[in-house]
Amino acid sequence: MIEFKNVSKVYPNGTQGLKDINVTIEKGEFVVIVGLSGAGKSTFLRSINRLHEITSGEIIIDGSSITEAKGRDLRIARRDIGMIFQSFNLVKRSTVLRNVLSGRVGYHSTLRTVLGLFPKEDVNLAFNALERVNIVEKAYTRSDQLSGGQQQRVSIARALAQEAKIILADEPVASLDPLTTKQVMDNLQKINQELGITTVVNLHFIDIARQYATRIIGLQAGEVVFDGPVEEATDERFSEIYGRPLETREDEEVGASANESAE
Amino acid sequence: MSSATRPIKPKKKIYKRWVIYIVLALIYVWALSGVPVEGFKETAGQISKAILSGIFSPDWDYVYLPEGEDLLRGLLDTLAIAILGTFISAFLCIPFAFWAANNMSRIKANAGIGKFFLSFVRTFPELVMALLFIKVVGPGSFAGVLALGLHSIGMLGKLFSEEVENIDLGPSEALKATGARPLQILWFAVFPQVLPGFISYTLYRFEINLRSASVLGIIGAGGIGTPLIFAMQSRDWSRVGIILLGIIVMVTIVDIISGYLRKKIV
Amino acid sequence: MNQLNEQKLPKAPSRIKHYLTFILILFLLWGSAYQTGSTFNELIEGFPNMFSVLDEMIPPNWAYFDNIIQAMLDTIRMAVLGTTIGAVIAIPFALFSASNMMKSTWIFYPVRFILNLVRTIPELLLAAIFVAIFGLGPLPGIFALGIFSTGIIAKLTYEAIEGIDKGPLESMTAVGANKIQWITFSVVPQVAAYYVSYVLYSFEINIRAAAILGLVGAGGIGEYYDRTLGFLEYDKVSTIIIFTLVVVLIIDYISTKLRENLL
């Protein structure tokens, strides 16, 4: 369970990143955060594992405050939260397996991991995770030889190997084409349903959000302007809130091809 | 075309050009005024001839002498000084490289101090360092190793820090999010990215160090330079010839191997 | 699901190559340490000496400054003249080494070979040879620097020439220019800035080199190391070092600024 209690964030330049947010995400939910660019989606997500610091309020994860956590406690808290990035953030020159195993380093001493002495169970976990995202045959391939969709699945495997209880995904499909978008989102959904891992995803496109989410949270200028089940997240409702309908993947496809033909 | 519509050549440019010419002329007048014009030694021609004939009829016997102190051993010593010196500096410069990298510290001034320190070390001539180390550990190869090891930190540290500045910070963020400790982030997210560059620059510096190591002996810090300077002082030009030949061959071979390895890595 | 299907897993690639490389490097290091007689013991034994040397170097003998200023000016003169000689000789060498200037491999390969040969000989060695020929003084130093910088400038310049735009070359051929006109109007404008930049770069290197050529009697401030170290006057040594550092850093700074303006 993730609880936001009166969370606000003001950037040093005065921009309001988050504004008095009170949200509770229950275990096992598949929550999608939507909003225009700069609405605070990424800040929201990154404040959960404190890659970004908040300026006031508190975030409580499974009963303990991550806002208060320091040093070792913070690392242990982060260990339970997997994160998936828009640009995959894999070490491109390392093998797939090593990238997945790097999700395990929080569990062991520095010396042990630096010497590469991961226990057998860790290696098993890594292979299991790779199997789950259907990419196990690439285990010893260098990551930069994979396609974007494959790389994103590796980064999902990294979060799985981490044995995370929560997965945060920051625009996981923004750099992928429609087909691989579906594979990656299906993977996330399957993991959410089969393992019951709480999943919070930032998405730019409302149509994909509707397809996968159990609950949608809309942000604007750092404030929660919509919070409800998918059925309520209709186009009319969003047009009302944002003054225009949110983008869909199809819009972008049409726009892109229009641009291409213009060139 | 009537002359009225022609653009006028910009005055400022002409003016600037003349300033440059005048400054250059002054520099050369000054530089030439300090050169002694008493001319060459009368024997210059003779000695050049002796050196040339020495180089074209090298003292092949010197290549290998059973009792030691021959060309091969001298070259081997030179190679050993360069290898060890390069390795020491490649190892020691790593912390300095991270210190001097802009993206590794939150305070920009900190990296600036690191950069200044490295450029200070770079400017400190290695031969002077070798002279000082001779006072510390006595004459011989070891002083040469230490001098190269310390001096190369300057350049390698700078090149390494540029490599660190070019890394993708995404993987570090991902590792941080999994709850990794700072050293683990360094090892798993940063090192794999910079290692190929580090190795390539180390090889490049090794090529430079081999040239340096072949002259260290002139001041008594080991290697082939010592027999070379002795041969010169005793005007044994055919020996000078064979040593020069040896240096050229060794440096060329090492350049080729090192260049091949560097291409393979990147 | 936790039971891995062993047959399906890809085989780990062999690590023998890594181990062999590692052993080879260890062997090289051990062999080098043995050959040079480098031991930690010796370093530790020498440590107190190091501090006593450093102790005597501080504070520097500022009064000695007056004695070496003339030698420092000579050093700069040597670098200026050496670089100039190198810059002039480098022009024909660069033209003859560029494959797009000389069509015949019989010309550019031998010329490049000579350049490579020149660059294998350290400048101090050249200086020592020239001292034997011309006697003590700055003259052999200037010649050594001249030959040394020919190697650098010619190599960098011929690479720049090979990278130029072909269009102007063809148009000059088309208007029926002779070889000299062809070079003046199509090659020179394209590489002039690079060439000047390389000359400045080589000047930076030559200043450093000129500062030590005195060690073999080839003039400049380097002669003073011999005089002062021979009498164990470390405070004077540190004055020379600091003076050299300041001059080199100032010249580096000016030269870098000029080069930035050029390109």
Side-chain angles (χ1 to χ4, degrees):
Chain A
M1 194 166 76
I2 308 165
E3 294 166 79
F4 278 70
K5 289 189 172 166
N6 308 319
V7 173
S8 290
K9 156 110 189 172
V10 183
Y11 282 98
N13 64 10
T15 317
Q16 186 99 31
L18 297 174
K19 202 167 170 188
D20 195 30
I21 293 199
N22 284 289
V23 165
T24 303
I25 296 170
E26 299 293 339
K27 186 171 164 35
E29 277 193 286
F30 195 115
V31 179
V32 173
I33 318 284
V34 295
L36 305 169
S37 302
K41 301 194 297 281
S42 193
T43 314
F44 180 91
L45 208 66
R46 277 156 200 257
S47 63
I48 297 177
N49 62 357
R50 262 183 66 189
L51 284 184
H52 281 183
E53 300 290 343
I54 54 175
T55 36
S56 68
E58 195 173 21
I59 297 173
I60 295 168
I61 294 168
D62 291 333
S64 53
S65 164
I66 193 162
T67 313
E68 304 273 293
K70 278 194 187 68
R72 192 182 139 77
D73 290 338
L74 177 61
R75 284 202 309 271
I76 288 175
R78 279 177 175 162
R79 213 162 69 179
D80 290 336
I81 307 171
M83 186 147 188
I84 290 153
F85 301 83
Q86 174 181 345
S87 48
F88 327 131
N89 288 0
L90 298 180
V91 182
K92 295 203 175 56
R93 296 190 64 101
S94 296
T95 62
V96 165
L97 184 64
R98 197 174 163 81
N99 268 297
V100 177
L101 275 174
S102 73
R104 297 296 301 168
V105 299
Y107 289 92
H108 307 295
S109 74
T110 306
L111 186 66
R112 181 165 188 172
T113 49
V114 164
L115 293 175
L117 302 172
F118 289 98
K120 191 97 183 46
E121 304 89 77
D122 280 19
V123 181
N124 279 341
L125 265 172
F127 274 114
N128 272 330
L130 284 170
E131 257 182 359
R132 199 173 269 281
V133 293
N134 295 323
I135 203 163
V136 73
E137 74 281 359
K138 300 281 188 195
Y140 294 104
T141 310
R142 247 172 64 166
S143 312
D144 52 6
Q145 286 165 8
L146 303 185
S147 69
Q150 288 173 323
Q151 290 196 34
Q152 194 58 296
R153 273 142 67 196
V154 172
S155 82
I156 295 174
R158 176 171 59 193
L160 284 177
Q162 204 181 321
E163 294 185 295
K165 300 189 179 76
I166 297 167
I167 286 182
L168 309 174
D170 191 10
E171 300 279 5
V173 293
S175 16
L176 302 179
D177 61 63
L179 188 71
T180 41
T181 293
K182 187 172 161 10
Q183 285 174 346
V184 166
M185 289 308 296
D186 284 350
N187 270 318
L188 282 174
Q189 192 177 39
K190 203 173 99 188
I191 289 159
N192 168 257
Q193 286 168 355
E194 287 176 6
L195 304 177
I197 296 177
T198 313
T199 308
V200 187
V201 185
N202 280 349
L203 284 179
H204 204 68
F205 304 114
I206 186 70
D207 51 340
I208 305 174
R210 283 203 199 97
Q211 211 177 327
Y212 291 95
T214 57
R215 172 180 170 191
I216 291 180
I217 294 176
L219 290 181
Q220 190 179 27
E223 279 184 283
V224 175
V225 288
F226 177 89
D227 186 354
V230 180
E231 302 79 56
E232 288 176 24
T234 57
D235 279 344
E236 294 76 43
R237 189 72 194 276
F238 276 111
S239 302
E240 221 175 278
I241 296 170
Y242 291 107
R244 64 175 168 104
L246 284 181
E247 271 178 275
T248 65
R249 192 79 197 214
E250 276 86 55
D251 291 344
E252 199 202 33
E253 300 295 307
V254 172
S257 53
N259 281 340
E260 269 163 35
S261 56
E263 282 162 17
Chain B
M1 200 194 249
S2 75
S3 59
T5 58
R6 276 187 199 168
I8 304 159
K9 207 172 178 183
K11 263 232 170 85
K12 209 173 163 195
K13 261 198 170 159
I14 306 172
Y15 172 73
K16 209 173 151 190
R17 184 159 284 191
W18 275 104
V19 170
I20 293 173
Y21 288 153
I22 291 168
V23 169
L24 270 178
L26 286 176
I27 289 177
Y28 280 112
V29 167
W30 171 77
L32 286 166
S33 71
V35 180
V37 274
E38 70 265 39
F40 305 152
K41 255 184 354 182
E42 296 130 43
T43 49
Q46 231 175 309
I47 297 174
S48 319
K49 234 183 251 163
I51 292 178
L52 275 179
S53 73
I55 289 170
F56 287 109
S57 59
D59 175 8
W60 293 108
D61 294 338
Y62 181 65
V63 174
Y64 178 77
L65 300 170
E67 64 269 23
E69 297 288 314
D70 57 12
L71 178 69
L72 285 179
R73 265 164 263 200
L75 291 179
L76 190 67
D77 203 29
T78 309
L79 198 63
I81 294 172
I83 291 176
L84 207 57
T86 310
F87 183 80
I88 290 174
S89 64
F91 204 72
L92 290 182
C93 80
I94 291 173
F96 293 105
F98 281 95
W99 178 22
N102 283 331
N103 56 347
M104 284 293 130
S105 70
R106 269 175 225 155
I107 313 151
K108 216 175 165 200
N110 192 10
I113 298 169
K115 280 186 208 301
F116 181 79
F117 174 80
L118 287 175
S119 84
F120 179 83
V121 174
R122 213 162 48 239
T123 327
F124 201 117
E126 55 210 326
L127 276 175
V128 177
M129 252 178 214
L131 283 170
L132 291 173
F133 275 120
I134 286 173
K135 302 287 171 191
V136 172
V137 295
S141 307
F142 191 37
V145 169
L146 292 175
L148 288 186
L150 202 60
H151 175 78
S152 313
I153 288 176
M155 180 180 136
L156 275 183
K158 175 174 183 264
L159 292 172
F160 279 24
S161 76
E162 283 165 2
E163 191 71 16
V164 172
E165 281 172 0
N166 284 331
I167 63 164
D168 169 15
L169 284 172
S172 307
E173 197 185 20
L175 258 285
K176 193 176 167 195
T178 67
R181 294 176 186 81
L183 267 179
Q184 290 172 323
I185 296 175
L186 214 59
W187 185 260
F188 282 90
V190 178
F191 251 72
Q193 293 189 57
V194 296
L195 199 62
F198 280 16
I199 295 175
S200 169
Y201 286 136
T202 305
L203 283 169
Y204 173 59
R205 183 67 215 188
F206 173 60
E207 292 169 30
I208 297 175
N209 276 350
L210 190 63
R211 289 169 168 80
S212 305
S214 57
V215 295
L216 283 172
I218 292 178
I219 51 152
I224 192 70
T226 312
L228 179 66
I229 203 81
F230 284 154
M232 273 185 187
Q233 277 160 0
S234 55
R235 306 190 171 270
D236 186 349
W237 300 117
S238 55
R239 180 161 290 187
V240 171
I242 189 73
I243 294 176
L244 274 179
L245 217 58
I247 293 175
I248 291 172
V249 169
M250 176 178 67
V251 170
T252 308
I253 292 175
V254 166
D255 274 9
I256 291 171
I257 296 175
S258 165
Y260 168 77
L261 287 175
R262 284 199 280 144
K263 245 185 217 145
K264 228 180 124 188
I265 288 165
V266 178
Chain C
M1 188 64 221
N2 276 334
Q3 207 47 51
L4 277 170
N5 185 348
E6 293 282 345
Q7 269 115 37
K8 248 177 67 191
L9 294 184
K11 263 221 167 100
S14 160
R15 301 185 65 95
I16 284 187
K17 222 174 125 187
H18 288 101
Y19 295 137
L20 283 181
T21 314
F22 186 69
I23 290 170
L24 180 72
I25 290 172
L26 273 189
F27 172 77
L28 276 178
L29 290 178
W30 174 82
S32 304
Y34 176 80
Q35 177 72 27
T36 55
S38 307
T39 56
F40 273 108
N41 274 347
E42 213 171 321
L43 185 61
I44 293 163
E45 275 169 34
F47 235 74
N49 291 338
M50 203 179 311
F51 284 110
S52 67
V53 167
L54 280 177
D55 190 47
E56 285 176 58
M57 284 176 88
I58 302 164
N61 181 348
W62 298 120
Y64 193 59
F65 191 78
D66 293 337
N67 301 38
I68 52 176
I69 187 140
Q70 200 51 48
M72 181 54 88
L73 293 177
D74 278 346
T75 309
I76 300 172
R77 283 191 181 104
M78 283 164 63
V80 169
L81 295 176
T83 312
T84 310
I85 293 175
V88 172
I89 304 179
I91 294 174
F93 270 97
L95 285 171
F96 282 107
S97 313
S99 57
N100 53 348
M101 296 291 110
M102 297 296 139
K103 297 295 174 217
S104 162
T105 51
W106 289 103
I107 299 178
F108 68 81
Y109 276 123
V111 178
R112 278 188 209 179
F113 179 75
I114 296 172
L115 281 183
N116 282 332
L117 214 63
V118 168
R119 282 185 305 117
T120 57
I121 308 174
E123 71 275 5
L124 203 69
L125 257 183
L126 287 172
I129 294 171
F130 286 132
V131 167
I133 297 176
F134 301 117
L136 299 173
L139 218 51
I142 292 170
F143 289 148
L145 292 176
I147 291 186
F148 180 68
S149 34
T150 302
I152 301 176
I153 300 172
K155 169 156 197 283
L156 292 170
T157 308
Y158 98 67
E159 284 169 354
I161 293 177
E162 289 193 337
I164 63 175
D165 180 14
K166 264 198 237 152
L169 301 182
E170 281 168 357
S171 60
M172 279 315 287
T173 312
V175 299
N178 67 29
K179 200 84 184 172
I180 302 287
Q181 294 165 329
W182 190 70
I183 289 171
T184 322
F185 286 94
S186 61
V187 182
V188 173
Q190 291 195 64
V191 294
Y194 290 101
Y195 170 74
V196 176
S197 158
Y198 299 145
V199 170
L200 284 169
Y201 169 68
S202 140
F203 180 60
E204 290 171 37
I205 297 178
N206 280 346
I207 272 285
R208 291 175 159 83
I212 53 163
L213 288 182
L215 287 169
V216 293
I221 195 143
E223 287 175 356
Y224 286 78
Y225 287 117
D226 242 5
R227 291 184 203 174
T228 49
L229 277 170
F231 297 107
L232 305 177
E233 296 167 318
Y234 293 109
D235 54 341
K236 291 183 180 172
V237 175
S238 58
T239 312
I240 303 174
I241 292 174
I242 291 169
F243 190 23
T244 311
L245 286 178
V246 171
V247 170
V248 168
L249 287 177
I250 291 174
I251 286 177
D252 267 12
Y253 178 79
I254 297 172
S255 172
T256 313
K257 280 279 162 240
L258 286 175
R259 285 200 281 146
E260 274 168 13
N261 275 332
L262 273 170
L263 296 180

